[in-house]
Amino acid sequence: MNSNLSETLFAKSRKLIPGGVNSPVRAFGSVGGTPRFIQRALGSSLWDVDGNHYIDLVGSWGPMILGHSHPDVIAAIHEASVSGTSFGAPTERELMLAERVLQRYPACQRIRFVNSGTEATMSALRLARGATGRDFLIKFAGNYHGHADSLLVAAGSGAMTTGVPSSAGVPADTAKTTLVARYNDLDSVRRLFEARPYKIAAVILEPVVGNMGVVLPNKDFLAGLRQLTHDYGALLIIDEVMTGFRLAPGGAIERFNIDADLVCWGKIIGGGLPVGAYGGKAEIMDHISPLGKVYQAGTLSGNPLAMAAGIATLDAIKNTSDLYDVLEARGQMLEHGLKQAADKAAVPVKINRVGSMLTVFFTDQEVQDFDSAAKTNVEQFGRWFHGLLKRGVYWPASAFEAVFVSYAHSEADIETVIDAAKAAFVKI
Ligand code: KE4
């Protein structure tokens, strides 16, 4: 497998783009080596510019639940594009996607579309502050909600791999309004509320964490957060950017029966085009401009091509009656095959999985929060990652990310991944 053209393109791109990439985790920084420049994708497959084929387990970090280049999505984008690419005016497609998202999240009465998950969580946070008149926010170490200033404190995802979980460039006065708790530790949240009763606007969390690797909520954690936020008059913001429409038709909120005040979406609802959204109860959302005093805007918000891709994606999801059963079956098959392969090679791993999201942690300890995730063997992961890559499996280039299985992954694809993992574990 040669990566000559990827190396040439990477060398050129580093001269023009910081790190040669437009999002840090793509740079292979924590695993080393040259990121593969992708030429095209179809179903469960990727091909790089050197013609190498991979089974893709990144899925563009979540959007590709149906697999790449789904015919309905491609057709919808093409049909929309011949009528124009952007108008800066309301269109029917925005209403159609709004109806589809809210149909699956019946507790939400209003939704506003933006262009990324970052914009969604940033806007939801501003709304929570504006609606409550309070400044402080509670987030969890290792949770990643995009790169808005207030949320780049103790963040997960790429921020965990660069060793800068609290980013430079965030003013101290901003960072101090972000209080950090430990995931799965209700007492750590209770202490923050007791120290600042009635000054905390919201708690935001990943209902299943994907951004320190997959970490599941312990029993009663989510219900406990709902009780604490009710007790102190704070809003509960559920970040479903990664889990929305992935863990169930109504996301983690449906799967875990969560009563959220605000919900954030991204990834899948755009079908691979730039879409984010935030929504919630009308009495909260109607604080948003032009109705209320909380301002939020966007030139390309509700873009017709992105809306078309989202509509086609959610319609295809709805029309695929066995989607979640297949995602669960493939996820289970992958989890069990990887565990058997690791055990056979006597490599200690812990695999955390919910449905089609999973992470292999190189450790013999349970992983249920930032500290336990951070202690896992990142070097061993990096060697295993390259063992997979050279055998044609495209795994997330970080120990602190989730793998995404799609409806396009066949049992044969999963077997291929398991076989590559077996060899990679042995060589580790
Ligand atoms: P975007 O701004 O990247 O669209 O969404 C930010 C975001 C918000 N909330 C959650 C739970 C997320 O997972 C994300 C983004 N996820 C990362 C992958 N872990 C995006 C990949 C990247 O940063 O390149």
Side-chain angles (χ1 to χ4, degrees), residues 70-391:
H70 188 284
D72 296 359
V73 177
I74 300 300
I77 295 168
H78 182 263
E79 184 199 356
S81 66
V82 296
S83 301
T85 54
S86 181
F87 313 119
T91 64
E92 186 181 6
R93 284 193 174 93
E94 293 159 81
L95 177 60
M96 292 167 72
L97 189 56
E99 286 168 340
R100 283 158 174 80
V101 176
L102 294 178
Q103 183 186 36
R104 292 297 187 187
Y105 286 82
C108 293
Q109 294 151 339
R110 300 282 187 279
I111 188 169
R112 169 64 66 85
F113 291 112
V114 292
N115 298 288
S116 67
T118 291
E119 268 196 88
T121 57
M122 173 179 72
S123 307
L125 174 55
R126 183 181 310 130
L127 171 57
R129 287 170 162 158
T132 61
R134 302 176 180 184
D135 292 342
F136 286 84
L137 163 78
I138 293 175
K139 77 175 288 289
F140 293 91
N143 278 211
Y144 179 73
H145 304 288
H147 63 89
D149 278 359
S150 291
L151 294 167
L152 272 183
V153 176
S157 186
M160 263 183 97
T161 64
T162 60
V164 190
S166 299
S167 174
V170 176
D173 281 352
T174 301
K176 76 182 179 189
T177 56
T178 301
L179 309 172
V180 179
R182 181 204 292 258
Y183 200 80
N184 280 322
D185 179 351
L186 283 172
D187 285 341
S188 72
V189 181
R190 187 175 291 107
R191 285 194 295 274
L192 293 173
F193 273 114
E194 286 167 353
R196 288 183 180 78
Y198 314 113
K199 288 189 182 303
I200 295 169
V203 173
I204 187 169
L205 77 153
E206 295 182 56
V208 168
V209 187
N211 288 295
M212 44 181 156
V214 173
V215 169
L216 285 67
N218 289 343
K219 185 175 175 313
D220 302 332
F221 178 60
L222 299 172
L225 286 178
R226 178 70 280 183
Q227 189 57 53
L228 275 171
T229 47
H230 271 153
D231 293 349
Y232 286 93
L235 301 183
L236 183 60
I237 304 175
I238 300 293
D239 180 348
E240 286 247 54
V241 168
M242 188 183 281
T243 53
F245 295 91
R246 179 165 287 279
L247 297 188
I253 282 178
E254 175 184 321
R255 192 175 184 121
F256 297 104
N257 190 26
I258 308 169
D259 168 25
D261 295 304
L262 290 173
V263 184
C264 302
W265 298 274
K267 298 182 193 277
I268 289 172
I269 69 165
L273 268 63
V275 179
Y278 61 103
K281 298 173 174 99
E283 71 264 18
I284 300 172
M285 288 295 289
D286 288 353
H287 284 272
I288 284 288
S289 178
L291 292 180
K293 297 192 172 83
V294 180
Y295 195 73
Q296 179 269 308
T299 301
L300 297 176
S301 297
N303 172 273
L305 276 62
M307 295 293 105
I311 291 163
T313 298
L314 297 195
D315 285 351
I317 286 172
K318 187 174 181 180
N319 297 332
T320 307
S321 57
D322 64 347
L323 174 70
Y324 295 99
D325 292 338
V326 167
L327 291 179
E328 174 58 32
R330 299 287 188 277
Q332 203 176 91
M333 182 183 171
L334 181 59
E335 175 188 359
H336 293 166
L338 292 173
K339 190 69 175 85
Q340 279 178 344
D343 291 349
K344 191 156 186 250
V347 176
V349 299
K350 287 289 179 185
I351 300 178
N352 288 353
R353 178 180 72 87
V354 180
S356 57
M357 280 173 61
L358 74 84
T359 297
V360 176
F361 291 103
F362 284 75
T363 180
D364 57 2
Q365 304 296 310
E366 292 304 326
V367 179
Q368 55 176 9
D369 56 24
F370 176 81
D371 293 342
S372 48
K375 284 183 194 144
T376 59
N377 190 325
V378 174
E379 291 69 31
Q380 216 173 26
F381 169 80
R383 293 193 293 275
W384 185 68
F385 167 86
H386 281 288
L388 289 173
L389 189 68
K390 71 182 185 185
R391 293 176 175 86

